[in-house]
Amino acid sequence: MKQIALYGKGGIGKSTTSANLSAALSLAGHDILQIGCDPKRDSTRMLMQGRLIPTVMDQVRERGASGVTPADVVYTGFNGVRCVEAGGPEPGVGCAGRGIIATFQLLEKFGTLTGDVIVYDVLGDVVCGGFAMPMREGYAQEVYLVTSGELMSLYAANNICKAIERLSARPKSRCRLAGVICNAKNQPKEEELVAEFARRVNSHLVQFIPRDRVVQLAELNRKTVIEYEPDSKQAQIYRDLATHIMENTRFTIPTPLEIDDLEALAIEYM
């Protein structure tokens, strides 16, 4: 079983990338489980034709952990992709990372952490104990950084590199950096910048995803690009990403940049 996690700054397009990746992998014949690890609970929405499924935390609050069944939290979406949303606490109360911990505990109890590929879609602005759990506890063995060429997006990606570097030192850790995905914002030299960032943190650029209006059109129609416009260039790019991830064997311990070096790198490509 391949367990991968997509980490990145909020709003960078992790959920869009994750959903299209899961859809592409499913059409390639793989059994896929996607777990949204963000209180916004929108990771699996386009796989569910626009439906926001009940979250694990919602179900635990309503029924108690002992009253929740697999059918309450695992839903089947596009082409058989199984979908789970961790959710989080009520706004202003509690730790958002707690939803991830509760989700993994329940899914392990149910025996539903299975399949050919598990895709974890994780918020990467703050790599606290809860959000780092997929890496720390050995669930996410391959971590992909989703970033654009914008400085704050690279800053978040660099912070995640620091977390991977630290966690990789644990005796039983299997967490490694598997590569960088550039979800473009149409900046000049963006692909070159992100590729160089990937090289400097001891990794590689796995896929460049250009900005394309078909992504917004697909989401307005409550579908992934893979489902909405399967013959489009953008759908092929997501299929290429799926192929590259399945064939990838380069997993490294990253070498994070100092903030001055990161800023200097960004200036080089302005």
Side-chain angles (χ1 to χ4, degrees), residues 99-121:
I100 299 173
I101 296 170
T103 296
F104 282 66
Q105 290 171 341
L106 270 178
L107 295 179
E108 280 202 328
K109 184 181 83 169
F110 295 151
T112 52
L113 287 173
T114 60
D116 299 322
V117 184
I118 300 180
V119 178
Y120 302 99
D121 175 11

